[in-house]
């Protein structure tokens, strides 16, 4: 889907001077950033050789293990055990040997991160929104690595930078309790093991691009999180958290076909809601503690509107005591500049404006899901 033209963007209230802001402030700042020389696969050439060397170390080491271990049960077990150790070890070794090269790449990425954050904050401000570049602060994996005694000091500085640009702690906590943060996979384990696994995954998610504000008198927050998929592009989830206008009595969950149910709260039994036959029941499933409340919260007309605005992407939603949480899967939004490569264009700037517009449209549709009669926002 191509980005809209400037005259289309400027038809949106608040974006009347969108192009002048982009040409005066955003584009010059991005143009001044250092770029990367890219290989044919689109990755920076500066790290292609180290990555190739890491794979080479791993293959040679694993072949040696295979040659030195017996061809029986014990040998197979040793090869299975050493496979991940050698794989991770090879990359750690290369990271240590070429740490200056990787640090320079990180530093250039840090410059892009700061410029991108400033640009998106200026776009959000046009709509009365606050922008948080790194909701929740630094990822737990980076924080743990930065505490390692042999980790370069620069990694600690990057962790501190991300923590400084964090925020949205309460909405993040609500989204975790709603059970929408985490991989869309089947987990074969006990209920307790599954719960701990999903909580650990939720704590380690890559989070980015947080927004908060007020629409039609209702407070909201939104952010993206990244779901890594083996042998496929990452899935970017846009999660919206709306404050409940009144305390709901139970838990109601909705999902579109082709995705999994959100994780229900511990000790809560949910029953599937009988939906009238039609397009809505063909595309969505609803389960709840209170059938009447479920039908009031997730009105079919509203959900159809939300799905259309989400370009018919996979949707999961939870209404519970803390509010309404909606999770929409899709591509990378607000990607004005690639932090790894420095690639950007006039089209990526226009698309970032469009991403904010679509976010607000989604929130307006979600607000209606509560059947509110709130005062318009000032």
């Amino acid at each position: 889907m191509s980005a809209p033209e400037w005259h289309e963007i400027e038809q949106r209230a608040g974006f009347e001077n969108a192009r002048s802001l982009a040409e005066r402030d955003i584009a010059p700042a991005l143009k001044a950033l250092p770029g990367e020389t890219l290989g044919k696969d689109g990755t920076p050439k500066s790290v292609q050789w180290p990555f190739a060397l890491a794979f080479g170390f791993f293959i040679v080491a694993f072949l040696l293990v295979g040659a030195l271990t017996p061809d029986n049960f014990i040998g197979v077990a040793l090869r299975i055990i050493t496979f991940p150790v050698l794989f991770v070890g090879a990359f750690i070794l290369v990271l240590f040997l070429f740490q200056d090269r990787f640090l320079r790449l990180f530093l250039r990425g840090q410059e892009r991160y700061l410029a991108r954050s400033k640009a998106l904050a200026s776009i959000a401000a046009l709509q009365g929104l606050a922008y948080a570049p790194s909701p929740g602060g630094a990822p737990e994996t980076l924080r743990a690595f930065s505490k390692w005694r042999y980790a370069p000091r620069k990694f600690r500085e990057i962790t501190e930078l991300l923590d400084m640009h964090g925020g949205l702690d309460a909405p993040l906590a609500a989204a975790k309790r709603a059970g929408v943060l985490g991989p869309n996979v089947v987990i074969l384990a006990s209920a307790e093991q599954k719960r701990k696994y999903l909580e650990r995954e939720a704590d380690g998610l890559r989070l980015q691009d947080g927004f908060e504000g007020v629409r039609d008198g209702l407070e909201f927050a939104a952010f993206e999180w990244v779901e890594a998929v083996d042998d496929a592009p990452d899935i970017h989830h846009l999660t919206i958290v709306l404050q409940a206008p009144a305390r709901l009595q139970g838990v109601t969950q909705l999902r579109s076909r082709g995705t999994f149910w959100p994780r229900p709260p511990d000790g809560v039994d949910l029953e599937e809601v009988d939906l009238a036959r039609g397009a809505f029941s063909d595309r969505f499933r609803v389960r709840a503690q209170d059938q009447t409340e479920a039908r009031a919260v997730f009105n079919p007309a509203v959900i159809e509107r939300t799905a259309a605005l989400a370009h018919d992407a996979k949707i999961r939603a939870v209404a519970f005591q803390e509010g309404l949480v909606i999770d929409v899967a899709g591509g990378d939004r607000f990607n004005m500049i690639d932090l790894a490569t420095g690639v950007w264009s006039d089209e990526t700037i226009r698309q970032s404006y469009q991403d904010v517009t679509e976010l607000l449209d989604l929130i307006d549709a979600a607000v209606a899901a509560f059947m509110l009669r709130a005062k318009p926002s000032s």
Side-chain angles (χ1 to χ4, degrees), residues 300-321:
V302 173
I303 298 303
E304 290 285 359
R305 167 71 174 154
T306 304
L309 290 169
H311 304 300
D312 294 320
K314 293 179 179 178
I315 296 175
R316 295 187 296 171
V318 180
F320 64 136
Q321 292 179 351

Side-chain angles (χ1 to χ4, degrees), residues 80-270:
I80 292 174
I81 293 170
T82 56
F83 182 92
V85 174
L86 292 174
F87 186 81
V88 174
F91 279 89
I92 291 177
L93 176 61
V94 167
L95 182 63
F96 177 77
L97 293 175
F98 294 91
Q99 58 181 291
D100 290 342
R101 185 175 300 199
F102 282 101
L103 278 175
R104 285 194 295 271
L105 185 65
F106 267 112
L107 289 173
R108 290 193 293 272
Q110 179 176 304
E111 288 185 59
R112 298 175 196 128
Y113 167 83
L114 292 172
R116 176 179 177 273
S117 300
K118 184 177 180 181
L120 285 172
S122 65
I123 292 174
L126 295 177
Q127 295 293 338
L129 309 179
Y131 174 69
S134 301
E140 290 299 325
T141 50
L142 177 60
R143 185 175 286 110
F145 179 75
S146 68
K147 292 179 180 178
W148 183 41
R149 62 182 299 183
Y150 298 110
R153 184 169 176 268
K154 198 65 195 175
F155 283 97
R156 288 190 287 275
E157 294 177 7
I158 293 172
T159 301
E160 292 170 359
L161 174 69
L162 293 176
D163 285 339
M164 287 173 55
H165 289 78
L168 303 186
D169 292 341
L172 274 172
K176 288 179 182 179
R177 287 190 287 271
V180 301
L181 303 186
N184 191 17
V185 296
V186 175
I187 302 169
L188 301 177
S190 67
E192 180 63 17
Q193 290 174 326
K194 181 178 179 180
R195 182 184 65 81
K196 289 182 178 179
Y197 170 79
L198 291 173
E199 287 180 352
R200 185 169 61 251
E201 287 293 308
D203 288 336
L205 290 176
R206 288 157 51 196
L207 299 164
Q208 57 193 36
D209 298 321
F211 299 85
E212 58 184 341
V214 178
R215 299 293 289 181
D216 290 331
L218 195 69
E219 295 181 8
F220 79 89
F223 57 87
E224 271 199 318
W225 61 275
V226 184
E227 177 185 355
V229 182
D230 293 336
D231 301 322
D234 291 343
I235 299 173
H236 291 254
H237 293 254
L238 178 62
T239 299
I240 298 169
V241 181
L242 291 164
Q243 184 184 51
R247 191 172 183 83
L248 299 174
Q249 299 303 309
V251 176
T252 301
Q253 295 183 339
L254 173 143
R255 68 172 177 86
S256 55
R257 285 184 177 273
T259 189
F260 291 95
W261 288 110
R263 178 173 58 87
D266 294 336
V268 173
D269 294 323
L270 302 175

